[in-house]
Amino acid sequence: YESIKGLGFVNADGSRVWFGSGRNMPMKILIYKTLMADLAAKGIRPSEVNIVNPHAPYYCESSVGCG
């Protein structure tokens, strides 16, 4: 847990994943799984995935400059 990004975890591949508050968790998990599958298909390994706002999820490929 982080005060700004909320609930999160470190994925098995080392990427940090943020979900924010516990609200809308089923939708956020679905978005996370879909996004990760899409990124994997493109060969992209994010360093951070942020789904705090499920209407505007984003990822970073490097920890530098990631919000």
Side-chain angles (χ1 to χ4, degrees):
Y1 182 84
E2 185 181 274
S3 62
I4 294 175
K5 296 180 182 178
L7 179 64
F9 69 96
V10 177
N11 203 353
D13 65 4
S15 62
R16 295 188 178 277
V17 181
W18 300 103
F19 290 106
S21 70
R23 298 178 65 189
N24 300 316
M25 208 45 110
M27 178 173 52
K28 290 178 179 182
I29 291 171
L30 179 61
I31 291 168
Y32 166 72
K33 288 180 177 181
T34 303
L35 179 60
M36 293 303 287
D38 184 57
L39 294 175
K42 295 176 181 175
I44 298 172
R45 295 183 57 186
S47 62
E48 183 171 319
V49 177
N50 187 305
I51 308 174
V52 172
N53 178 352
H55 301 289
Y58 66 90
Y59 69 93
C60 299
E61 292 184 67
S62 136
S63 60
V64 177
C66 194

